[in-house]
Amino acid sequence: MSIPSAEMGAPVSVEMDEDLDLDAAVFVALGCNDKGVWADCVEALEAGLARFRAEGVDVTARSSWWRSKAWPDPNDPPFLNGVARVRTALDAHGLMAALGRIEEAMGRRRGPRNAPRTLDLDLIAYGRATGDCEGLILPHPRAAERLFVMGPLAEIAPGWLHPVLGETAEALVRRCSVGLDARASA
């Protein structure tokens, strides 16, 4: 698989669950470009991940952290992004509510769209669910075009098949049109 890394050829440390049922996989994207009270965005993202369990969400695999310019305004602080595969008994709406509580606990305040934030959590896919699920669009309608989402997702599940586009995460990495500067951190 050809995924950009911090230094081409450098190994990327990625936690994975070998028992990957891609048809039932639930993926959450994480992003940060405002460290808030933490030492840096890595610490903020790790603190956010640490809160998942208290909300009934188990992280079963996670990517490395990827750096990229802020999008759509590259003048904002740069982003650190990653993707986690999770297991939960919550339905998609319950998971979204849990993700919102985690964002709030981490200091996220809703402001202008795409403004800097301490933690941004997006539900990328909930198994094979598609379409408008009572106001929740699944899979995430713009994830497939964003390298800072598809790159990390392809690290942990290169064979994941997008439920609408019918292409693997690995193939979608090559088709991304947003965040093309995104690279895995060393």
Side-chain angles (χ1 to χ4, degrees):
M1 169 175 27
S2 174
I3 297 176
S5 65
E7 298 173 319
M8 296 313 264
V12 177
S13 173
V14 180
E15 295 178 25
M16 288 194 243
D17 179 349
E18 295 302 320
D19 299 323
L20 194 61
D21 177 1
L22 295 179
D23 283 337
V26 177
F27 293 101
V28 175
L30 301 91
C32 173
N33 71 335
D34 176 357
K35 66 182 178 97
V37 300
W38 291 270
D40 55 31
C41 285
V42 170
E43 191 175 292
L45 287 166
E46 294 291 343
L49 272 176
R51 292 181 173 274
F52 277 43
R53 184 68 210 114
E55 291 289 344
V57 181
D58 291 320
V59 176
T60 60
R62 58 175 281 198
S63 71
S64 60
W65 299 123
W66 284 53
R67 296 192 184 282
S68 65
K69 292 178 184 170
W71 184 88
D73 186 353
N75 294 316
D76 282 340
F79 258 93
L80 203 58
N81 294 93
V83 170
R85 193 189 95 177
V86 302
R87 183 176 295 126
T88 184
L90 300 169
D91 65 14
H93 288 280
L95 178 55
M96 282 299 298
L99 297 177
R101 287 189 298 273
I102 294 168
E103 287 178 336
E104 188 175 308
M106 294 290 297
R108 168 101 186 247
R109 301 295 171 254
R110 298 289 173 181
R113 185 176 170 103
N114 298 313
R117 46 207 173 264
T118 52
L119 186 62
D120 183 29
L121 299 174
D122 288 320
L123 180 56
I124 301 304
Y126 192 92
R128 305 305 291 162
T130 63
D132 187 335
C133 304
E134 299 174 21
L136 176 60
I137 308 294
L138 291 171
H140 187 287
R142 293 170 301 283
E145 58 196 48
R146 298 174 175 176
L147 183 56
F148 50 84
V149 175
M150 284 294 108
L153 197 154
E155 277 185 359
I156 59 174
W160 172 76
L161 200 60
H162 190 286
V164 173
L165 301 175
E167 294 184 58
T168 64
E170 185 175 38
L172 289 170
V173 164
R174 294 186 290 276
R175 290 194 27 193
C176 289
S177 59
V178 175
L180 298 181
D181 66 311
R183 297 291 181 265
S185 299

